[in-house]
Amino acid sequence: MTVANDQNTDALISDDAVELYRSRGFINVPGLLTPEEVSEQLADAERQLAREKTELWEEDEGLAMDWVPDAGLRSEVTRRLTFHPKVTAVAERLAGAPLRLFKSELFRKPAGGRSAPTPMHHDEPSHPIEGRPITLTAWVALVDVPVERGCMSFIPGSHKLVTPKEDDDGMSPLERWPHFAWEERTTVPMRAGDVHFHHARVIHSAGANDTDTTRVSLASIYMDAEAVYRPNFVYSYLFPDDDLGGLKPGEQVLGERFPLARSGA
């Protein structure tokens, strides 16, 4: 994959957009990737989704999505995209601090009537890390994602109101904070090559995929460069065999698996 070397973030995202992200907890950056980059990553994603055992998010109505965990550890194409200079430059500008890659995941929301909506949730409970509350996801659309294909909806500003719980037991945010059910929501359709950034605490959901095209995306999660390992209920339930390479609680999340976002090392 050939990526651009322009890391002048002023040309990639404006000061107003940064402030909007910090106020709302999410921002879409249109056309951050070229069509050639999208095409190469989509082809690689489809190979991985066909080859690898995927994790499932199942709901009563059907499959919300399945995904390849740690996709960047399985493919050099995906790994290069997780360290794309434009993506990582914007991520650090939004966070306002140096970042490390925590993980990358290839998501698939099925087409053809087999899809279910993704319920309201926030991402922080599935991250067994502790540090400054700046963790964010760069969500790359590898196909067009109109409303009918299951684009995401967000509760603006909810990342400022959601607080971490030491005893988090996997409750949904609407169970823990019922008032969010009545808050305004913003729906964000995307074009292939757009990159959507959202804060780990912002509450969001996605609709069902009612089209005949599978929704495929790559999500890279970036964390505070000085974050430490803190096991939690949700991550232990989802990935019972993953101790993040032998890390002990309270240890800094370092090593080859968790490189600095801007250096890739």
Side-chain angles (χ1 to χ4, degrees), residues 40-221:
E40 182 181 24
Q41 179 58 61
L42 178 58
D44 186 76
E46 290 173 338
R47 288 192 293 269
Q48 286 198 63
L49 287 162
R51 180 182 70 230
E52 304 288 348
K53 180 180 182 298
T54 60
E55 303 288 339
L56 306 177
W57 185 335
E58 296 178 295
E59 294 291 324
D60 291 341
E61 307 96 316
L63 183 64
M65 62 182 178
D66 68 337
W67 73 94
V68 177
D70 292 312
L73 300 180
R74 305 169 192 269
S75 162
E76 183 58 30
V77 173
T78 299
R79 183 174 175 82
R80 288 199 301 271
L81 183 50
T82 63
F83 298 110
H84 191 295
K86 290 183 178 181
V87 174
T88 55
V90 172
E92 288 200 345
R93 175 87 180 281
L94 295 173
L99 299 173
R100 290 185 184 276
L101 176 71
F102 175 55
K103 62 178 176 178
S104 56
E105 300 173 321
L106 283 170
F107 290 134
R108 172 172 57 189
K109 186 175 272 289
R114 297 178 291 117
S115 172
T118 307
M120 279 286 177
H121 66 285
H122 64 301
D123 297 337
E124 189 173 69
S126 64
H127 302 155
I129 52 179
E130 183 176 87
R132 287 173 291 186
I134 59 174
T135 302
L136 74 165
T137 295
W139 199 94
V140 181
L142 298 177
V143 298
D144 289 345
V145 189
V147 172
E148 297 79 10
R149 195 162 290 147
C151 68
M152 288 186 282
S153 295
F154 297 84
I155 299 179
S158 53
H159 65 302
K160 296 181 177 181
L161 303 174
V162 165
T163 54
K165 296 286 186 179
E166 292 296 330
D167 60 345
D168 198 332
D169 58 2
M171 292 177 65
S172 77
L174 298 190
E175 291 173 322
R176 193 178 290 281
W177 299 287
H179 67 279
F180 280 128
W182 311 105
E183 295 293 329
E184 177 185 359
R185 303 176 189 185
T186 300
T187 299
V188 186
M190 300 174 68
R191 291 284 195 181
D194 292 358
V195 182
H196 185 96
F197 298 84
H198 65 266
H199 194 284
R201 291 183 184 174
V202 73
I203 297 175
H204 58 286
S205 64
N209 182 359
D210 295 324
T211 74
D212 58 3
T213 299
T214 300
R215 193 200 77 180
V216 183
S217 59
L218 173 69
S220 297
I221 297 96

